[in-house]
Amino acid sequence: MMSLLVIAAIVISIALGYKTKINIGLFAIAFAYLIGCFAMGLSPSDVIMMWPLKMFFIIFSVCLFYSFAIVNGTLEKLAEHLLYSCRRFPHLLPYAVFITSALIAALGAGYYTVLAFMAPITLLLCERTRMSLILGAMAVNYGALGGANFVSSQSGIIFRTLMVNSGIPENTAFINSFGIFASTVAIPLLVITGFMLFTGHKKSMQSSTYTITPPTPLNREQRVTLQLTLLMMALVLLAPIAHIVFPDNQTVTFINSKMDIGLIASVFSVIALLLKLGDERKAMAAVPWSTLVMICGVGMLIAIAIKAGTIDLLASWIGTSIPPVLVPVAFGVVAALMSLFASTLGVVTPALFPIVPPIAASLGIDPLLIFICIVVGAQATSISPFSSGGSLLLGSCPTEKSRAEFFPKLLFRAAPLGFVAALVFNLVLSFVL
């Protein structure tokens, strides 16, 4: 009975958030309090302790440092340079948009930020170069998603933290994050290539006469910001990789044990402020507070679900009702359906990741396979106009007329295409691994 109550609370939170446009995390916090204190007999302190403090600190610290690159225009200028480098090969523009979006997101901007400033540029390029709106939308959306899944970027950090909180060892979670990143970058590239080869799109773009104007060079603040960003990424990546390669080396083990991306990012934020790379108030304002509230609020409600035994109940049901080989695929389909209306970072992965370890253990499946299928499925339908990615793309349309024409293309062509590609990939992965 308690498990049904918690599941109903999660569904109602999503529905209310979608209907009222109020942050889902706020509804989740309210339900966590009401169910935890009045239905389960927990104390208010117990419920407050369920706020995922470590995840909040890591995301806040990393986003604060990366916000300097947003505030002083480093990422936008870098995007202009990358797109300009493709000017002589117009038919490669979809790849340029994809790679630019992925690289900027991997450098720490995060999915929503990249989409916010890359989507208008991409739609303008579609208008002037005869690039298909569907192709442009997929390139920028899935590029931003794939890049943000990099282990030192926003989504990758969230996935890794969720895995560790679910009982996955730190080093294994690091490797799993690489698997998710590689998968979510490979699938869109295959889809874009298929689109280019089988729709005659390459020929129409080659006939375009549109030229991209040369960008201005990076200024001092932008150059230093880029150097700091690359240095921080190197620090974050080298220690765990070295520990995986040299697991018995005591020095490497000691250094790796002291590495924490949230604390490293805090140090780099101080360096950025001392070097005057951006205004502190603007950098603080650029932190995605609404995303933080959504992720942590839903995290509280998921913690209540774990306390109530809901996660174990769901794991038991899935483990006994679905053939083991199809379990990862089923997770991918559920994630895709949830992502049509809810955030991958704020709702889908916090709800599904805790179920993975017990199911994987009982069925003898590698958790990596299920984690990949969940993220691939969820991100496949994020281009739906009802989801965050699609709504940002629609918001980038210059006129109401273009927005009305773009809506059915996203809903009936882009989202189904992404879903089918993800389903095929998950099926192949499930039978190969």
Side-chain angles (χ1 to χ4, degrees), residues 208-240:
S208 170
T209 56
Y210 175 68
T211 55
I212 300 173
T213 55
T216 56
L218 276 71
N219 59 31
R220 184 200 74 87
E221 289 80 11
Q222 292 165 345
R223 286 196 305 273
V224 175
T225 301
L226 184 57
Q227 290 164 0
L228 277 179
T229 302
L230 294 174
L231 178 60
M232 195 188 90
M233 288 177 68
L235 282 174
V236 169
L237 294 173
L238 286 177

Side-chain angles (χ1 to χ4, degrees), residues 79-87 96-97 100 118 121 125 212:
E80 292 173 5
H81 279 270
L82 290 169
L83 288 173
Y84 181 70
S85 65
C86 189
R87 67 195 182 282
V97 170
T100 301
M118 278 297 293
I121 297 172
L125 288 173
I212 300 173

Side-chain angles (χ1 to χ4, degrees), residues 32 120 187 190 196 234 244 251 255 267 279-281 303 325 356 381-382 412 414 416 419:
I187 298 169
L190 292 172
M196 294 285 287
I244 291 167
T251 303
I255 293 172
V267 173
D279 184 88
E280 180 185 352
R281 286 174 295 180
V325 73
V356 173
T381 55
S382 67
F412 298 115
F419 176 75

Side-chain angles (χ1 to χ4, degrees), residues 54 160 170-171 235-236 238-244 246-247 249-264:
K54 183 178 180 180
R160 217 162 99 206
E170 187 76 45
N171 279 348
L235 282 174
V236 169
L238 286 177
I241 290 173
H243 185 60
I244 291 167
F246 306 106
N249 187 297
Q250 291 185 350
T251 303
V252 171
T253 302
F254 173 77
I255 293 172
N256 185 56
S257 69
K258 302 301 180 184
M259 290 289 116
D260 181 272
I261 189 168
L263 293 171
I264 292 171

Side-chain angles (χ1 to χ4, degrees), residues 14 330-342 348 377-378 381 384 419:
I14 296 169
F331 267 103
V333 172
V334 170
L337 294 174
M338 289 176 68
S339 186
L340 279 170
F341 304 98
V348 182
T381 55
S384 153
F419 176 75

Side-chain angles (χ1 to χ4, degrees), residues 136-217:
M138 288 193 300
V140 68
N141 183 71
Y142 294 128
L145 283 169
N149 292 342
F150 191 60
V151 290
S152 64
S153 194
Q154 187 183 120
S155 302
I157 292 166
I158 292 169
F159 297 152
R160 217 162 99 206
T161 308
L162 287 171
M163 282 186 263
V164 171
N165 290 347
S166 301
I168 302 295
E170 187 76 45
N171 279 348
T172 306
F174 183 81
I175 295 169
N176 290 351
S177 295
F178 264 115
I180 291 171
F181 167 70
S183 300
T184 51
V185 167
I187 298 169
L189 282 174
L190 292 172
V191 173
I192 289 171
T193 301
F195 200 106
M196 294 285 287
L197 291 176
F198 300 114
T199 62
H201 200 67
K202 178 180 177 180
K203 187 176 180 181
S204 66
M205 286 198 68
Q206 283 177 325
S207 62
S208 170
T209 56
Y210 175 68
T211 55
I212 300 173
T213 55
T216 56

Side-chain angles (χ1 to χ4, degrees), residues 261-340:
I261 189 168
L263 293 171
I264 292 171
S266 298
V267 173
F268 273 74
S269 294
V270 173
I271 294 171
L273 286 168
L274 291 173
L275 293 175
K276 301 188 184 303
L277 300 182
D279 184 88
E280 180 185 352
R281 286 174 295 180
K282 290 181 180 178
M284 199 70 78
V287 172
W289 295 107
S290 60
T291 303
L292 269 170
V293 170
M294 179 170 59
I295 292 168
C296 295
V298 173
M300 286 183 74
L301 192 51
I302 297 300
I304 291 289
I306 293 170
K307 190 81 173 177
T310 309
I311 302 301
D312 293 334
L313 190 66
L314 285 173
S316 175
W317 179 82
I318 292 173
T320 56
S321 304
I322 300 172
V325 73
L326 293 179
V327 165
V329 179
F331 267 103
V333 172
V334 170
L337 294 174
M338 289 176 68
S339 186
L340 279 170

Side-chain angles (χ1 to χ4, degrees), residues 59-80:
I59 299 170
F60 162 72
S61 302
V62 171
C63 290
L64 177 61
F65 170 67
Y66 285 140
S67 65
F68 286 97
I70 299 167
V71 169
N72 64 25
T74 301
L75 297 179
E76 192 171 352
K77 188 63 65 68
L78 192 59
E80 292 173 5

